[in-house]
Amino acid sequence: MAEKLVPVVCPWCSVGCRFYAVSVNGYIRRIEFDYDHPTVNRGKLCPKGVASYQFINSSKRLKKPLKRVGEKGEGKFEEISWSEAYRIIAEKIKEIKETYGPEAIAFLGSEKITFEENYLVHKLSKAIGTNHLDFPGRYCQYSNAPARTAVFGSAPATNPFEDVAKAELIVIWGHNPAETAPVFFGQYIEKAVLDNGAEMVVIDPRETRGHKYASIHLKPYPGTDLAIALAMLNVVISEELYDKEFVNERTTGFEELKEAVKEYTPEWAEKISGVPAEDIRKVARLIATKRMALLVNEGLNQHVNGFEFALALANLIAITGNIGKEGVWSGVFPGAQCGFCAAMSGIAPNKLPTGKLVTDEAARAELERLWGFKIPDWVGLDLTSMIREMGNKIKMMYIVGGNIAKSAPNSRWVQEQLKKLDFLVVQDIFLTETAKYADIVLPAAAWFEKTGTAISAERRVQRTYKAANPPGEAKPDWLILVELAKELGLGEYFKYEHPDEILREINSVIPMFKGATPEYLTEHPEGCFFPCTEPGEGTKVLFKKGFKTADGKAHLQPVKWREPPEMPDEEYPLWLTNFRQVGHWHTGTMSFESPSLKKRWPEEYVMINPKDAEKYGIKSGDLVKVETRRGSVLVRAEVTEHVREGVIAMPNHWNINVLTLEVTHEKTKMAELKAVAARVRKVEE
Amino acid sequence: MSKKIFLDYKRCIGCKACEVACEMTHGEARIRVFEFPDLFTVPFNCRHCEKAPCMNVCPTGALFRDEDGAVAFDPLKCIGCLMCAVACPFGVPKLDEENKIMDKCDLCADRRAEGLLPACVSACPTEALKFGEINEILWNREGKVVANLKGSAEKGEGEKAYLVL
Ligand code: SF4
Ligand code: SF4
Ligand code: SF4
């Protein structure tokens, strides 16, 4: 049978690379690069993109619905039919609703499923009557997103990637795009630096792949970046380097900000962060005088003080006028190809899919008119709070494509909590660590086995198509949700036979996506930039005239220093942080099942500076125990100058969250995933 | 007219997309990314030498030059005698222990026949790997270097000039 080139969007990071899945008889035989269309990746792919169909052919794929027969977490299941699975779930939902009310049920959407599917998760949770709705993205952009919303009224990227290539200054802060988004790095950042003469500054406790292009490298202790950002605000204001016209015309709150940061001198920040005051001044002056692309990610987001840090940076962007024009870039950078699919369909405990709040009566009424059923008006729980309330307020969870037993902070605690649920449903493509705690596991079709919409970090909305048949009886997530709705007697609200019909409903419900119709996206493989209010009407550069705030101005926010929740002390004297590897993704559910990736990036390890290694008598290759107050893991040591003294670092795809801290920020509910106190010692083999 | 892959080390970020692309095309990666302790990375594959020593010593004619100038390989003729491996100054040809013959980069002969770029070049996200008429690539590179030298000289930052390499 002939080969068919099926255009697809990459299933991993949020760059939004396109390529072809070469499909023969419902199987993907190989991939082919797309040098035919004006794609964001210009044909290029990183190793994950190239290897991206391997995991769908893994023998470990789920093929039949499963019912737990062993203990929770043990992984013993028996196969059941779809009709039995739906019947059990529907009965349980009814029973829990009758006994405890719908507020005992929580749903998780996913950054791994399509826009349409997230929309359905949202709709089903509301139809069942609960607002306990979140997704693992809670641990991703939920510092930068709320901070940018507070200042600019909206969080997503301000400009397309092509503007990064036009910037004069690239500041990479707590982000490692050379490994986490290589195509973005190669096609846009490198072009700025190597071809267009931009200067690069990196702020990171580690040296990473992109470092060789940087002229300045600041190495703060993890979790102390806020001090540096505050000192930069102090320098830019006290040296009067800020963009006065921009501040006067387009911002409010400057005087309060000035007052708030006046004590935060670079010398003060040096004491906290370990970064020389002069270097902080140098970088602050560069930011104030050059057109900047500011690239931040989890090194900013995954801290309890990440919100304050992100506020400081948003202030800095605003007072230096690095926004609302061409040749600059800033914004959230989701870790997954569909992080925006969940966020923009309102997967959050306080939101409607329209982006309005659940407490907004008029917005609710309007959606009730469109959907035809009553929507609960209370604010639900965020993911960490759901975990905390398992067995208490939360009796049942329905998890689509998320692996919280491994990705949420303090995994041992999460696993104990999962056992307390009365009923857990996990819908996934593999029997993940989380699925092992489920009562019912539903086998889902993987990316490439369904058609749908993805949204990239530069706000690009693109279609991806079905190239392979799911294995066994696995079904696309949207179809599972539709069939379950029917079983629950909610069928009349879920009459979809194809993802196109769901997207058409999204077009009419979410104004920002009105123009992203199935027809438009099929004709334009390069997609459109949301807000796309009419077909063909994308918005490439945001905030050229006004910001998304009520008065159209950027609201500068006074920020204060806030200590990380846990700092090194005598017992646990080192900072422990973590990072992503180019060959892996999230908790490895998919990348560990990709032989070409697993073989090159085989195992976890801990990076330790030679000075610390000497202190603890550790050599490269030694087996060591890395320990925090939550638990410990055994790994090999890599003694290297590429991590600063006082800090140890591990890749985050394996067991890092055994060590992280479940304390959350009171407003954003972000946990401490990137900076905790640890100790390390050699283990005799 | 000789088509080659030019390695622009400065652009490489060691992501190994080239290795994975080659492996997925040929079963085994014929390009390798070498990593040094200073984080410098060097992708390296067959140089397709103009005066290829491997080709000269191959007793069966399994190695031959194709119309694009690549040192290509006919597996049916190879006897696995390792003479090419002995002669290659870089250690490029490797023994395929399963098939008892040699294995080496053929600049993706099958892909070129279909008008496609070699797999590693198609993938490389940074354009550290460039495929084409080698002198055209080198003229472009020279032109860019000279333009940068001039730009740096005008800005009085002579020492920056080498950075473009
Ligand atoms: S850069 Fe991201 S989107 Fe592109 S190929 Fe790699 S993982 Fe896929
Ligand atoms: S040209 Fe083809 S065979 Fe040679 S290294 Fe690249 S991908 Fe491998
Ligand atoms: S694909 Fe390109 S950037 Fe990546 S390792 Fe290979 S040569 Fe280097």
Side-chain angles (χ1 to χ4, degrees):
Chain A
M1 193 160 154
E3 290 187 334
K4 219 167 87 194
L5 293 185
V6 181
V8 292
V9 175
C10 180
W12 311 97
C13 88
S14 64
V15 173
C17 298
R18 295 198 74 94
F19 54 93
Y20 299 111
V22 182
S23 164
V24 180
N25 255 340
Y27 286 96
I28 300 180
R29 180 163 288 171
R30 59 187 174 90
I31 66 119
E32 188 50 68
F33 304 88
D34 180 354
Y35 275 86
D36 309 326
H37 297 105
T39 58
V40 62
N41 50 315
R42 300 168 180 148
K44 306 293 185 181
L45 294 175
C46 81
K48 289 195 293 299
V50 177
S52 59
Y53 76 88
Q54 289 183 334
F55 70 84
I56 78 164
N57 294 331
S58 161
S59 60
K60 295 192 196 148
R61 284 288 303 278
L62 295 172
K63 298 176 193 77
K64 291 266 287 177
L66 302 175
K67 185 176 154 195
R68 185 169 54 77
V69 289
E71 292 301 309
K72 292 183 182 185
E74 198 186 357
K76 282 201 190 137
F77 292 89
E78 67 178 20
E79 292 185 348
I80 55 172
S81 69
W82 275 104
S83 55
E84 194 184 350
Y86 288 141
R87 187 184 51 73
I88 297 173
I89 298 170
E91 272 171 15
K92 252 326 200 199
I93 289 179
K94 244 175 244 159
E95 183 192 313
I96 288 173
K97 269 178 83 164
E98 272 160 26
T99 327
Y100 306 102
E103 59 278 13
I105 303 174
F107 274 79
L108 290 189
S110 174
E111 70 285 6
K112 294 197 267 194
I113 58 174
T114 64
F115 192 27
E116 291 85 346
E117 291 168 334
N118 271 298
Y119 176 82
L120 287 200
V121 173
H122 194 157
K123 190 169 178 182
L124 184 63
S125 64
K126 294 247 187 305
I128 286 172
T130 181
N131 282 342
H132 295 312
L133 173 68
D134 211 347
F135 77 111
R138 172 64 55 189
Y139 303 129
C140 187
Q141 302 300 312
Y142 277 74
S143 291
N144 205 15
R148 291 179 65 86
T149 307
V151 177
F152 305 123
S154 136
T158 54
N159 295 55
F161 288 157
E162 61 202 42
D163 281 32
V164 172
K166 295 181 201 148
E168 295 167 329
L169 174 69
I170 309 279
V171 176
I172 302 185
W173 197 335
H175 191 1
N176 182 13
E179 292 219 40
T180 61
V183 173
F184 170 54
F185 192 90
Q187 291 301 308
Y188 300 94
I189 300 177
E190 265 195 33
K191 298 228 157 134
V193 179
L194 293 180
D195 303 337
N196 303 336
E199 184 158 2
M200 187 197 279
V201 172
V202 174
I203 308 181
D204 195 312
R206 291 193 318 134
E207 262 152 40
T208 58
R209 293 270 179 232
H211 271 76
K212 60 180 174 186
Y213 308 110
S215 56
I216 304 179
H217 179 196
L218 312 186
K219 296 185 193 172
Y221 293 119
T224 68
D225 309 69
L226 167 61
I228 298 176
L230 291 170
M232 286 183 180
L233 283 166
N234 174 294
V235 171
V236 171
I237 294 174
S238 64
E239 295 186 7
E240 297 206 18
L241 297 172
Y242 55 93
D243 185 334
K244 294 179 191 81
E245 199 182 310
F246 193 92
V247 167
N248 285 339
E249 282 167 22
R250 301 201 51 187
T251 72
T252 63
F254 183 72
E255 287 309 318
E256 292 87 333
L257 175 65
K258 185 175 172 180
E259 185 58 29
V261 300
K262 75 170 191 255
E263 320 244 288
Y264 300 128
T265 62
E267 282 69 22
W268 165 84
E270 175 172 343
K271 275 190 219 118
I272 292 176
S273 66
V275 172
E278 250 343 278
D279 287 352
I280 298 177
R281 282 205 176 84
K282 225 187 273 171
V283 176
R285 288 175 193 144
L286 280 176
I287 292 175
T289 48
K290 295 198 173 201
R291 254 187 307 102
M292 168 178 66
L294 177 62
L295 306 168
V296 295
N297 213 327
E298 307 303 34
L300 169 150
N301 283 301
Q302 295 188 321
H303 292 292
V304 170
N305 67 6
F307 176 65
E308 285 74 14
F309 175 23
L311 277 181
L313 288 187
N315 289 331
L316 191 62
I317 291 164
I319 67 169
T320 54
N322 273 308
I323 192 162
K325 59 187 180 193
E326 263 99 34
V328 297
W329 202 97
S330 65
V332 294
F333 205 111
Q337 97 284 19
C338 249
F340 266 138
C341 302
M344 300 316 290
S345 55
I347 300 278
N350 60 346
K351 281 198 184 144
L352 301 170
T354 48
K356 302 237 169 83
L357 297 176
V358 287
T359 45
D360 176 338
E361 204 182 321
R364 245 181 13 248
E366 163 148 25
L367 192 58
E368 282 168 354
R369 190 178 52 77
L370 290 168
W371 276 357
F373 56 81
K374 193 104 189 98
I375 295 169
D377 60 356
W378 44 274
V379 174
L381 297 176
D382 62 278
L383 178 48
T384 319
S385 304
M386 286 177 191
I387 299 170
R388 199 164 280 131
E389 290 296 335
M390 283 176 184
N392 191 19
K393 277 188 199 156
I394 303 292
K395 306 287 184 199
M396 168 183 171
M397 258 187 108
Y398 194 109
I399 299 178
V400 183
N403 191 12
I404 59 171
K406 220 177 148 186
S407 66
N410 195 354
S411 322
R412 299 254 187 283
W413 169 70
V414 177
Q415 289 162 12
E416 285 311 309
Q417 291 300 101
L418 280 168
K419 288 186 189 158
K420 298 183 185 161
L421 286 170
D422 285 9
F423 194 63
L424 173 61
V425 181
V426 171
Q427 188 169 310
D428 212 312
I429 66 171
F430 290 111
L431 192 68
T432 61
E433 284 78 2
T434 310
K436 290 190 181 140
Y437 292 85
D439 295 278
I440 300 287
V441 181
L442 301 176
W447 204 255
F448 301 137
E449 294 167 351
K450 59 193 177 187
T451 290
T453 305
I455 310 176
S456 84
E458 58 172 352
R459 291 184 280 111
R460 204 186 271 263
V461 187
Q462 311 184 83
R463 214 90 214 278
T464 186
Y465 299 91
K466 179 175 170 176
N469 296 326
E473 295 179 17
K475 296 181 186 192
D477 293 284
W478 66 267
L479 186 59
I480 300 175
L481 296 164
V482 166
E483 291 179 351
L484 177 62
K486 228 173 262 163
E487 184 80 26
L488 284 162
L490 299 166
E492 58 180 304
Y493 312 118
F494 291 83
K495 285 193 195 136
Y496 313 101
E497 278 172 11
H498 190 276
D500 282 359
E501 294 166 18
I502 310 170
L503 185 56
R504 277 190 206 106
E505 183 173 316
I506 293 176
N507 298 147
S508 65
V509 170
I510 314 181
M512 240 190 259
F513 294 91
K514 188 166 165 228
T517 61
E519 293 70 25
Y520 183 83
L521 296 180
T522 302
E523 270 163 43
H524 300 85
E526 74 285 3
C528 63
F529 289 84
F530 82 79
C532 32
T533 37
E534 291 298 330
E537 298 259 310
T539 314
K540 280 201 153 182
V541 178
L542 300 183
F543 314 139
K544 271 192 162 166
K545 295 207 180 79
F547 292 100
K548 277 269 172 241
T549 50
D551 58 4
K553 298 212 170 175
H555 296 176
L556 302 176
Q557 307 279 327
V559 204
K560 289 273 169 210
W561 166 242
R562 172 180 182 145
E563 256 185 22
E566 188 179 71
M567 306 264 279
D569 52 24
E570 264 173 29
E571 240 184 304
Y572 295 89
L574 295 166
W575 288 99
L576 168 67
T577 190
N578 58 73
F579 56 90
R580 282 191 271 171
Q581 291 183 313
V582 60
H584 287 303
W585 196 70
H586 290 185
T587 60
T589 50
M590 288 145 59
S591 57
F592 292 174
E593 291 305 316
S594 308
S596 294
L597 302 176
K598 192 69 206 291
K599 153 174 167 194
R600 290 181 170 77
W601 293 275
E603 59 183 9
E604 65 181 333
Y605 56 95
V606 61
M607 296 172 76
I608 178 163
N609 185 279
K611 287 197 187 120
D612 294 319
E614 205 192 324
K615 206 182 315 171
Y616 301 112
I618 291 168
K619 284 193 283 309
S620 271
D622 282 353
L623 189 67
V624 297
K625 184 174 183 182
V626 180
E627 205 177 350
T628 68
R629 289 187 174 84
R630 271 71 58 199
S632 65
V633 294
L634 289 181
V635 286
R636 298 271 160 206
E638 185 190 299
V639 178
T640 166
E641 295 280 358
H642 301 315
V643 64
R644 72 157 296 163
E645 199 186 341
V647 182
I648 54 174
M650 290 167 68
N652 72 3
H653 311 288
W654 284 269
N655 297 305
I656 187 75
N657 286 317
V658 168
L659 307 170
T660 53
L661 183 58
E662 76 281 10
V663 170
T664 53
H665 187 279
E666 62 285 357
K667 182 172 161 155
T668 65
K669 309 296 179 186
M670 175 58 76
E672 189 55 60
L673 291 145
K674 275 278 186 287
V676 291
R679 64 187 176 207
V680 57
R681 69 174 165 84
K682 195 177 153 161
V683 175
E684 294 309 327
E685 286 178 75
Chain B
M1 298 276 271
S2 200
K3 287 192 172 169
K4 307 267 184 196
I5 292 177
F6 182 76
L7 309 175
D8 191 349
Y9 300 137
K10 173 106 196 181
R11 301 190 91 92
C12 175
I13 49 174
C15 73
K16 304 191 184 177
C18 49
E19 281 187 22
V20 174
C22 186
E23 179 171 298
M24 311 259 308
T25 311
H26 304 290
E28 198 71 54
R30 299 158 168 178
I31 185 167
R32 181 72 78 80
V33 184
F34 294 87
E35 306 179 69
F36 294 89
D38 62 354
L39 294 177
F40 201 79
T41 51
V42 178
F44 202 83
N45 69 334
C46 170
R47 306 288 76 230
H48 298 277
C49 308
E50 288 294 306
K51 296 183 182 176
C54 60
M55 219 172 90
N56 288 341
V57 297
C58 176
T60 65
L63 291 168
F64 64 99
R65 192 166 303 278
D66 75 12
E67 61 268 31
D68 282 334
V71 178
F73 176 67
D74 182 348
L76 293 177
K77 287 191 181 156
C78 179
I79 56 169
C81 69
L82 286 174
M83 283 310 290
C84 53
V86 172
C88 173
F90 305 105
V92 161
K94 303 285 185 315
L95 181 63
D96 167 352
E97 293 181 66
E98 203 173 307
N99 296 305
K100 316 229 176 287
I101 53 171
M102 302 307 285
D103 186 45
K104 79 174 274 300
C105 162
D106 61 356
L107 279 183
C108 286
D110 293 349
R111 291 181 62 84
R112 283 184 287 125
E114 286 178 50
L116 300 169
L117 288 169
C120 57
V121 176
S122 303
C124 177
T126 64
E127 295 166 36
L129 306 179
K130 289 192 178 67
F131 178 74
E133 295 293 344
I134 188 63
N135 278 335
E136 215 171 278
I137 294 174
L138 291 173
W139 276 115
N140 284 340
R141 182 175 166 84
E142 190 177 338
K144 199 180 135 197
V145 173
V146 171
N148 271 296
L149 278 170
K150 182 166 184 292
S152 302
E154 277 167 5
K155 282 191 246 156
E157 33 179 44
E159 82 281 3
K160 246 186 101 181
Y162 78 95
L163 281 175
V164 298
L165 291 175

